[in-house]
């Protein structure tokens, strides 16, 4: 899945022959899952028609603040467009448009929108080689980069003039992958490896029966998605669950029992930066697992249980650089019990959910948590969807690891 999936891309086209390539650019953004709106300088319409671009982007294309000939025409609000966008791309960025952007000139819709945009702005210059080399163009490039705008460099090759040199707009495929890579490199958990446990564990009684619990894995899967969206490489170790996740940054390992989860976690822990153990691991397992199905009799049946290994505590005992987060599910003396677990298991943070809170806990789509850090600072959040809770937890972790 592309990082552009679900993102709002505002493509601003200025008047260069490379404008004909913006049709492919719109197609590629749409293919990557982005929503696209196109704005144009009036002169760029000589190079590609708004009809082509509105058909491809499935959105109206604007080039003026309003249509003088249509008395019902609405004002094309550049501020709204600027705020709508997650990213703005000026392509092709001509010498004229770049110079105006660099100097705050605001005589068309593209420039007014550029000045209003709060999102990251990319620009892909396109012009003839001598124009590209001109000191005034170099000034514009430097000034725009100084504003934090991101240059997608022009390439060398044959130009519309027939001359050969630098000034060709980067190819649409290269522009899209440049933006994807740039966005990825700026994600706050880029380069970090996060291990997450999720779901229940099943402890076998015999070949057909087990001891389990009602955990669905929803919270752990939401955490995996949130961490991956922040750029982390996620290793999701999950017990039996109907949850599914498809994300290029998430590698899922399926296990069944507490011992299998323990083994899988320990195999990976040395290489991870953050461990978040949200699984509802069985605390006990049958001491002996019958090799054949246990037959029904008239007598009562006793199954002797023996403790499983506490995975979280075992990681707390060996952790070095890792930031370790546990969960506590409590029904009474919530805060004291959670702090007890935080300290006993040597954690950096614990997420408490109380079963006394309506809407929190197993099999629900919502959760209500209190996050307690190693300095015993508490932060209580309201009832939210598990996806939002996951984002809150990841934000707290980010703040701590960057503090
Ligand atoms: N945990 C674990 N391995 C276990 C049991 C629990 O890794 N064998 C982890 C859970 O994933 C969770 C945390 O420990 O992050 C706390 O789980 P919880 O069931 O609330 O606490 P326990 O330590 O099992 O204590 P108790 O059941 O007595 O409350």
């Amino acid at each position: 899945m592309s990082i552009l999936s679900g993102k709002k891309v505002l493509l601003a086209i200025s008047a260069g022959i490379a404008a004909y390539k913006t049709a492919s650019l719109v197609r590629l953004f749409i293919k990557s899952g982005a929503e696209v709106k196109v704005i144009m300088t009036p002169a760029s319409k000589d190079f590609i028609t708004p009809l082509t671009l509105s058909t491809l982007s499935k959105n109206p294309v604007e080039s003026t603040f309003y249509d003088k000939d249509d008395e019902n025409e609405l004002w094309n609000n550049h501020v709204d467009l600027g705020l709508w966008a997650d990213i703005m791309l000026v392509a092709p960025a001509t010498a004229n448009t770049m110079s105006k952007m660099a100097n705050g000139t605001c005589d068309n819709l593209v420039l007014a929108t550029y000045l209003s945009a709060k999102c990251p702005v990319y620009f892909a210059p396109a012009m003839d080689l001598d124009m590209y080399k001109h000191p005034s163009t170099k000034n514009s490039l430097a000034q725009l980069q100084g504003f934090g705008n991101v240059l997608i460099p022009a390439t060398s090759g044959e130009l519309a003039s027939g001359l050969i040199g630098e000034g060709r707009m980067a190819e649409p495929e290269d522009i899209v992958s440049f933006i994807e890579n740039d966005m990825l490199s700026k994600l706050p958990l880029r380069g970090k490896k996060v291990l997450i446990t999720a779901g229940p564990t099943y402890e076998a009684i015999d070949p057909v029966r087990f001891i389990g619990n009602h955990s669905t894995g929803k919270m752990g899967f939401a955490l995996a998605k949130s961490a991956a969206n922040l750029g982390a490489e996620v290793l999701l170790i999950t017990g039996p669950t109907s949850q599914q996740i498809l994300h290029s940054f998430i590698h899922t390992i399926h296990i069944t029992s507490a011992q299998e989860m323990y083994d899988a976690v320990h195999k990976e822990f040395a290489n991870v930066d953050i461990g978040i153990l949200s699984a509802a691991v069985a605390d006990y397992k049958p001491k002996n697992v019958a090799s054949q199905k246990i037959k029904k009799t008239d007598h009562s049946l006793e199954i002797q249980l023996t403790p499983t290994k506490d995975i979280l505590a075992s990681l707390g005992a060996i952790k070095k650089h890792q930031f370790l987060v546990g969960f506590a599910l409590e029904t009474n003396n919530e805060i004291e019990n959670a702090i007890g677990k935080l300290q006993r298991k040597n954690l950096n943070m614990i997420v408490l959910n109380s079963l006394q809170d309506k809407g929190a806990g197993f099999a629900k789509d919502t959760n209500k948590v209190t996050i307690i850090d190693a300095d015993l600072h508490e932060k209580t959040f309201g009832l939210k969807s598990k996806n939002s809770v996951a984002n809150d937890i990841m934000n707290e972790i980010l703040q701590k690891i960057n503090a």
Side-chain angles (χ1 to χ4, degrees), residues 214-325:
H214 292 297
S215 168
T216 57
K218 278 182 187 164
M219 195 62 238
F221 276 64
L223 282 162
K225 194 168 100 191
S226 177
N229 286 342
L230 291 168
E233 186 190 338
V234 178
L235 190 68
L236 175 62
I237 300 174
T238 180
T241 172
S242 60
Q243 298 292 309
Q244 285 183 342
I245 201 160
L246 260 187
H247 193 300
S248 46
F249 292 179
I250 301 176
H251 175 59
T252 309
I253 296 176
H254 294 273
I255 54 84
T256 303
S257 67
Q259 183 62 45
E260 285 169 10
M261 186 174 274
Y262 178 96
D263 293 340
V265 164
H266 275 270
K267 203 167 148 217
E268 304 292 342
F269 190 63
N271 302 319
V272 307
D273 301 289
I274 300 168
I276 310 173
L277 274 68
S278 69
V281 186
D283 288 329
Y284 292 93
K285 62 179 178 181
K287 191 167 181 194
N288 300 305
V289 181
S291 58
Q292 305 295 334
K293 185 179 171 199
I294 299 171
K295 287 289 177 197
K296 183 171 62 183
T297 66
D298 291 338
H299 309 295
S300 62
L301 173 70
E302 281 186 13
I303 299 172
Q304 208 183 344
L305 300 178
T306 181
T308 56
K309 290 178 191 153
D310 189 319
I311 304 167
L312 183 58
S314 71
L315 298 183
I318 59 166
K319 83 177 166 81
K320 296 193 170 80
H321 60 282
Q322 294 92 341
F323 190 91
L324 189 58
V325 182

